[in-house]
């Protein structure tokens, strides 16, 4: 099954993608994590992306599309995948269509902006493997330490309040139009984000099963 997860930054796409990945046995493809890996490696793509990420702006379409194309061509995507953070623009969605990729379902995790701003202030990310945590909703077993790899948990620059406001503005202007784009295909399912991760997961898996 090929799934796209939509939703504002901080809506919980990454967490729900992990749950779907575990349930269906298909890989979660997080554009953010792939780009951050490129950033750490100092690769050409990383250098191109750096200034955009640090200011909370979107990485240019052509850079992201090349990254995604390489990733979904890998063997572990043969039985499907979950796209988390892509597409972010109509142009990216059209590029995905041109690749001949048939998407089965598009899930929109819908959460109000005020709730997102509160959530992101408590979000922490492993600087080594990119796993996400939250000081209130998804605490690590040991404070400040990643459960998966033992790496250090940090607050990303783009989770600071001023940057969050900018990211939400960009989302509403450039990414939200994707809802209408996929609604026309009959593949869009809206999942109302709940206070509890588990409750949101129940609704997410139910939408996939429909």
């Amino acid at each position: 099954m090929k799934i796209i997860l939509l939703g504002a930054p901080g809506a919980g796409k990454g967490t729900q993608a992990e749950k779907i990945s575990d349930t269906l046995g298909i890989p979660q493809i997080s554009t953010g994590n792939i780009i951050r890996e490129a950033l750490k490696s100092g690769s050409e793509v990383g250098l191109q992306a750096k200034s955009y990420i640090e200011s909370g702006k979107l990485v240019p379409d052509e850079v992201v599309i090349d990254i995604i194309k390489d990733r979904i061509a890998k063997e572990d995507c043969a039985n499907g995948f979950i796209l988390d953070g892509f597409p972010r623009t109509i142009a990216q969605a059209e590029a995905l269509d041109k690749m001949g990729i048939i998407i089965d379902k598009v899930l929109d995790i819908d959460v109000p902006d005020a709730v997102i701003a509160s959530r992101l202030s408590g979000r922490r990310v492993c600087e080594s493997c990119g796993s996400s945590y939250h000081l209130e909703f998804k605490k690590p077993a040991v404070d400040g330490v990643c459960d998966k790899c033992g790496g250090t948990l940090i607050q990303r620059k783009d989770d600071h309040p001023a940057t969050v406001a900018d990211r939400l503005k960009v989302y509403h202007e450039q990414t939200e139009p994707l809802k209408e784009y996929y609604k026309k295909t009959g593949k869009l399912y809206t999942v109302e984000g709940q206070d509890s991760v588990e409750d949101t997961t129940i609704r997410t898996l139910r939408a996939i099963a429909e």
Side-chain angles (χ1 to χ4, degrees):
M1 189 172 234
K2 299 178 179 72
I3 298 168
I4 290 173
L5 281 183
L6 296 179
K13 296 187 300 298
T15 300
Q16 293 309 316
E18 287 178 12
K19 302 286 187 183
I20 298 168
S21 176
D22 290 343
T23 302
L24 300 184
I26 55 177
Q28 170 194 4
I29 299 175
S30 166
T31 317
N33 285 349
I34 294 172
I35 293 174
R36 277 188 284 278
E37 284 169 17
L39 262 174
K40 283 180 68 177
S41 70
S43 67
E44 185 180 344
V45 171
L47 293 174
Q48 288 177 11
K50 186 174 182 181
S51 61
Y52 293 93
I53 291 175
E54 289 187 344
S55 60
K57 294 178 182 176
L58 296 179
V59 177
D61 285 351
E62 60 271 17
V63 177
V64 181
I65 289 164
D66 283 344
I67 292 171
I68 293 295
K69 194 182 294 184
D70 288 345
R71 180 63 186 89
I72 62 179
K74 293 186 177 178
E75 194 176 328
D76 64 340
C77 292
N79 293 322
F81 49 79
I82 306 147
L83 290 176
D84 165 20
F86 181 91
R88 282 186 172 173
T89 64
I90 296 292
Q92 288 181 359
E94 291 172 343
L96 194 63
D97 291 341
K98 286 175 185 173
M99 285 184 220
I101 305 298
I102 306 299
I103 297 299
D104 297 300
K105 294 207 171 178
V106 180
L107 306 180
D108 174 44
I109 311 294
D110 190 32
V111 179
D113 284 6
V115 174
I116 284 172
S118 173
R119 280 186 185 177
L120 289 184
S121 65
R123 187 159 76 172
R124 297 295 181 269
V125 177
C126 175
E127 63 178 356
S128 298
C129 74
S131 295
S132 294
Y133 297 86
H134 196 279
L135 298 182
E136 184 179 350
F137 303 116
K138 191 184 176 187
K139 297 178 182 179
V142 178
D143 191 34
V145 179
C146 177
D147 292 346
K148 294 184 179 179
C149 74
T152 302
L153 302 185
I154 59 170
Q155 183 179 42
R156 298 199 325 235
K157 287 183 180 178
D158 53 5
D159 286 342
H160 292 177
T163 312
V164 168
D166 288 340
R167 292 173 71 202
L168 286 171
K169 182 172 181 289
V170 169
Y171 167 77
H172 290 304
E173 290 174 356
Q174 299 188 30
T175 305
E176 206 161 33
L178 283 170
K179 292 183 189 180
E180 190 60 33
Y181 182 87
Y182 284 114
K183 187 176 182 181
K184 290 175 182 175
T185 69
K187 296 177 179 179
L188 180 71
Y189 294 77
T190 299
V191 177
E192 298 290 340
Q194 305 297 301
D195 290 339
S196 156
V197 169
E198 290 75 16
D199 287 344
T200 303
T201 300
I202 289 169
R203 292 177 180 228
T204 300
L205 295 177
R206 189 182 295 152
I208 291 172
E210 285 181 8

